Amino acid sequence: MLSFLIAGVVVFSLAAILVTISTRKGGGKKGGNKQKGRAQIIRDATRKLSSDPHNPDGLIPLGELYYSEHAWEKAYPLYETMFAIAPAHKEIDAYKAAIRQGICAIKLNKLQEAFKGLGTAYNLRPDDFDVNFYLGQACYANNEFEKAVPCLRKALAIKPEATNINGVLGLSLYKAKHFKESMQYLRRALDEHPDNKEVLFSMADAMLESGYGDKAMKVFLHLRPDPEYGARSCLAAGTIHGKSGQYDKAIQDFQIGLKHQNVPVEIMMELHYQLAVSAFALNDIATGIASLKEVQVINPSYKDVPALMGRYLELNQNRNLQVYMMAASSDFVALCRKIVSGYYAKAFTKIQDINVNPEFVEIMVAVQTPKWEDTEVFRFYRSSGSVGELPVRDFHAKVSDSKADRGLCFTAGTYTDTARKYVEGRPIDIIDKTGLIKILKKIE
């Protein structure tokens, strides 16, 4: 009995081994047949095309093979040929040849060639998902965002469950400056691909343009360390901080942005420029000038950099001019008092009244010298612009109403020709920036 059991086990084991060997041989034969089939297709197609490059029996199977393998470089010339000869060969599917020629061209970044095939495919089947999707992609890649939008909308309407459409559609709307419309598609794209930084940055910028600055700021701050979108996000965050008067935070944003590597030139220039503007707002002239010099290295005529450099270099060399134009109101008034007190040499000056106006400061004084005595009104404008006739007329009226003997008007800018003409023959002296600087240089 035991011998029968042993014999049974041996037979069963041998049978299992034979089945395993048979299975392996069959599997190997199947893989070999598949490889042999591919090689046979290439061999047969090559033979047919060598005698006739337009032979559909060679083009069609070889095109199918390479297209299925995503061998775009090899598939493209085959479908380019089929697309061209399809009208004369009914065995070639004209739509398939056209759309695949377009798709292969997109994959190879041959955008103008892609439009040929995709345009024909659209005329043949305008309601097909693939042709609308790829035509929209081609328009987007060619920076024709307004044309991309209707194609991608149509593709999404045909197949609402399709992925990878919301991102391209949202970016097309964003780059076409349809910011509010873009946000819903960008949100969906982020749900599909949360790590897509381009979509995230575009979403934040669209929110900013649509009036959601607080939400946008959170995203920009989150993106500041990103190697690709960090510099842009720093610029956006700093600009928002600067507009709200938070210049210290703005400077921090811009400085972080400038630490990034491979920053696009236009972004780098704007970071330096905005850093300078924020520094000047905090009276940090040295930092501002250093940033403007960085801009000048790249583009000397960028925005109003030449004018700003001229202005702040002059301010940097004259501390009193800095105070006159940029200091707090109390420091400005104190400087004006010094100007009044020292304006006449060897004279006794008594200040009778000080009027601090948002546009100017006025000081009425009594002046006594060994030879004459006067009551005079000094007016100081901080603006570096041009003072016109109307402000000068107003000053003359003030001098007359105060029964003062004379008026002296100072500005850090210039006077118009009409203003200069008006004061002729009247008891008013006008002192422009050049004269003001001479006076300021004499004051300790």
Side-chain angles (χ1 to χ4, degrees), residues 76-93:
Y76 173 72
L78 298 171
Y79 283 106
E80 178 79 9
T81 302
M82 284 189 274
F83 171 60
I85 68 173
H89 294 270
K90 300 303 180 185
E91 59 268 51
I92 296 176
D93 186 331

Side-chain angles (χ1 to χ4, degrees), residues 83-360:
F83 171 60
I85 68 173
H89 294 270
K90 300 303 180 185
E91 59 268 51
I92 296 176
D93 186 331
Y95 173 77
K96 182 183 286 188
I99 193 168
R100 288 191 174 184
Q101 182 272 351
I103 292 172
C104 290
I106 289 176
K107 300 297 184 181
L108 297 173
N109 200 31
K110 299 176 182 287
L111 295 180
Q112 298 311 312
E113 288 83 353
F115 285 118
K116 293 188 300 181
L118 293 173
T120 299
Y122 185 85
N123 290 332
L124 292 171
R125 297 187 191 175
D127 294 325
D128 185 80
F129 169 81
D130 285 339
V131 70
N132 282 282
F133 175 68
Y134 284 106
L135 189 55
Q137 278 202 332
C139 290
Y140 176 81
N142 203 42
N143 296 327
E144 298 180 82
F145 307 118
E146 292 285 5
K147 292 182 180 179
V149 169
C151 296
L152 295 168
R153 282 190 194 277
K154 195 171 184 180
L156 195 59
I158 295 168
K159 193 181 288 187
E161 74 281 4
T163 58
N164 299 326
I165 298 181
N166 289 301
V168 185
L169 177 53
L171 289 172
S172 296
L173 286 164
Y174 165 74
K175 293 183 179 182
K177 301 191 184 303
H178 302 302
F179 299 113
K180 284 190 176 181
E181 287 183 80
S182 73
M183 288 195 291
Q184 60 174 315
Y185 300 104
L186 293 173
R187 284 195 187 97
R188 294 175 193 172
L190 286 172
D191 290 338
E192 296 170 2
H193 304 286
D195 295 331
N196 191 320
K197 296 299 194 298
E198 181 183 11
V199 170
L200 184 59
F201 176 83
S202 301
M203 180 72 183
D205 199 38
M207 288 192 294
L208 178 62
E209 293 288 347
S210 302
Y212 304 104
D214 292 341
K215 293 182 179 179
M217 175 64 87
K218 292 179 181 178
V219 179
F220 289 136
L221 293 178
H222 170 72
L223 283 173
R224 282 194 312 185
D226 185 75
E228 185 173 359
Y229 290 94
R232 300 172 191 269
S233 299
C234 288
L235 178 58
T239 302
I240 297 172
H241 280 137
K243 287 181 179 179
S244 62
Q246 300 178 74
Y247 298 112
D248 52 343
K249 291 184 178 180
I251 288 173
Q252 184 183 36
D253 293 326
F254 300 137
Q255 288 174 336
I256 293 173
L258 289 168
K259 291 178 181 178
H260 280 281
Q261 301 295 319
N262 303 317
V263 179
V265 173
E266 65 275 9
I267 300 298
M268 182 179 293
M269 284 195 298
E270 190 62 14
L271 282 167
H272 277 300
Y273 178 84
Q274 294 296 341
L275 174 57
V277 171
S278 296
F280 291 145
L282 294 177
N283 295 338
D284 185 355
I285 296 176
T287 298
I289 289 175
S291 291
L292 291 183
K293 286 181 178 178
E294 294 292 338
V295 177
Q296 283 186 317
V297 171
I298 304 170
N299 183 358
S301 59
Y302 186 72
K303 291 188 174 182
D304 59 341
V305 167
L308 287 175
M309 281 294 287
R311 178 185 181 188
Y312 285 99
L313 281 172
E314 185 178 53
L315 286 171
N316 201 40
Q317 296 169 1
N318 190 327
R319 175 61 184 165
N320 284 330
L321 186 59
Q322 285 186 44
V323 174
Y324 190 96
M325 297 186 67
M326 303 175 65
S329 178
S330 58
D331 293 331
F332 174 57
V333 172
L335 179 62
C336 293
R337 290 171 63 101
K338 287 186 178 182
I339 294 173
V340 169
S341 300
Y343 191 75
Y344 295 107
K346 299 179 181 180
F348 174 74
T349 303
K350 182 179 180 181
I351 295 176
Q352 296 180 331
D353 186 42
I354 298 178
N355 175 28
V356 180
N357 188 284
E359 296 181 2
F360 55 81

